[in-house]
Amino acid sequence: MSSEVFSYESLVHAVSGAVGSVTAMTVFFPLDTARLRLQVDEQRKAKSTPAILAEIVKEEGLLAPYRGWFPVICSLCCSNFVYFYCFHSLKANWLKGHKSAPATDLIIGIAAGVINVLVTTPLWVVNTRLKLQGSKFRNADIHPTDYSGILDAFAQIIRDEGVGALWNGTFPSLLLVLNPAIQFMIYEGLKRQLRRGVPRELSSPEVFMIGAVAKAVATTITYPLQTIQSILRFGQFKDSTERSKLLSSLRTIKCLLVNRMRKYGLLGLFKGLEAKLLQTVLTAALMFLLYEKIASSTFRVMGLTNNHYKKR
């Protein structure tokens, strides 16, 4: 088992995934800014993504769409490194040379997602706070924060809210491991269909399209929980005081979902979906494209090309 878990191949996948995701997110970062504002600021009217970005630039300056870029990129790099490493090392250990199947990809994706959530949630809590700091909100109930950087944000959250606050939104995040799990299941399944049993490197358009389709489906299915996750990470919602953390988390999620539906109807659960789909589909498609090219080039240099495709 240790040879599959600690292997150069898993490391190549992890580094390729991290580099691809960081590059793709940098390109489409303003779209994520628009999505996050619509999720967190309930008083902001849902408009087209270009209209939201135009408002942000007008009110807060030209660089506002890139506010919080560094902490997001740090979190994303760590998160994708952990996810890709766990996914491919667990898959190599599970399959041991046999062909994969959709159900296998889904189970392995969920396991990798759980590990990733538990390890990287504190980074995402801090990155959400920093990204929204200094924003002009329509909702008067949102309290401003004053963090000087990543380390200061960690220190202030621990001091003022306790260590547990760094794992705000963990429960919906654990539920949301279905997002990358579904994404990877569809992506790996479409790759197998395109190859039709022949080990070959997919073309760039093929990788881009199946990456986009996989992410679009996964995002649409899980979007209401992503909205709740963003609200909890922002730290402006007061949790219930129940002793049971699990019951408290379930009641919090239920309360946020019900309140949002009462205020805005069923469509309120999908506020910002256009911006999210535009950002996440393009980002995921570019990420998978870069990931596949970096990984295949590295394996080619290592002389592992044929073996690499046969395992997948």
Side-chain angles (χ1 to χ4, degrees), residues 196-271:
R196 293 184 177 86
V198 180
R200 69 177 180 91
E201 182 177 352
L202 298 181
S203 67
S204 296
E206 286 176 325
V207 174
F208 192 89
M209 285 304 299
I210 64 175
V213 169
K215 192 61 177 179
V217 174
T219 298
T220 303
I221 291 172
T222 60
Y223 188 76
L225 277 175
Q226 292 183 50
T227 299
I228 302 307
Q229 179 192 57
S230 294
I231 293 170
L232 291 174
R233 282 175 173 173
F234 190 34
Q236 300 289 334
F237 181 83
K238 299 301 180 183
D239 292 332
S240 63
T241 56
E242 291 188 43
R243 290 184 179 181
S244 171
K245 291 291 184 182
L246 178 59
L247 284 176
S248 177
S249 297
L250 287 171
R251 289 182 185 277
T252 298
I253 293 170
K254 179 185 176 183
C255 179
L256 286 169
L257 287 172
V258 169
N259 286 345
R260 206 167 181 90
M261 286 185 66
R262 282 176 179 170
K263 285 183 180 179
Y264 310 107
L266 183 61
L267 291 179
L269 296 177
F270 293 89
K271 184 184 177 187

Side-chain angles (χ1 to χ4, degrees), residues 77-93:
C77 184
C78 294
S79 182
N80 276 277
F81 182 92
V82 171
Y83 190 89
F84 273 85
Y85 192 95
C86 291
F87 182 84
H88 288 285
S89 59
L90 290 172
K91 189 172 182 178
N93 184 67

Side-chain angles (χ1 to χ4, degrees), residues 21-163:
S21 62
V22 164
T23 305
M25 176 57 86
T26 300
V27 173
F28 298 114
F29 192 81
L31 301 179
D32 191 56
T33 298
R35 181 271 309 175
L36 189 58
R37 292 297 182 85
L38 286 170
Q39 284 183 324
V40 171
D41 191 356
E42 294 184 354
Q43 300 304 314
R44 185 180 288 273
K45 293 182 180 179
K47 300 178 181 178
S48 67
T49 302
I52 293 296
L53 287 173
E55 280 185 356
I56 293 171
V57 169
K58 182 179 179 181
E59 295 173 3
E60 303 170 34
L62 192 60
L63 296 179
Y66 274 91
R67 179 183 290 116
W69 171 83
F70 184 71
V72 169
I73 291 304
C74 289
S75 303
L76 189 67
C77 184
C78 294
S79 182
N80 276 277
F81 182 92
V82 171
Y83 190 89
F84 273 85
Y85 192 95
C86 291
F87 182 84
H88 288 285
S89 59
L90 290 172
K91 189 172 182 178
N93 184 67
W94 185 310
L95 297 177
K96 296 188 183 299
H98 296 93
K99 288 186 178 181
S100 185
T104 305
D105 291 331
L106 183 64
I107 293 169
I108 294 172
I110 290 172
V114 169
I115 296 170
N116 181 41
V117 165
L118 296 177
V119 172
T120 64
T121 289
L123 285 171
W124 287 110
V125 169
V126 167
N127 120 55
T128 301
R129 305 277 185 100
L130 288 172
K131 189 171 182 181
L132 291 169
Q133 182 169 274
S135 303
K136 293 184 178 179
F137 295 107
R138 303 291 194 275
N139 190 347
D141 294 330
I142 293 178
H143 306 294
T145 56
D146 185 23
Y147 306 127
S148 61
I150 295 176
L151 294 179
D152 182 56
F154 271 111
Q156 284 198 44
I157 292 171
I158 292 171
R159 184 192 67 207
D160 299 336
E161 303 171 47
V163 176

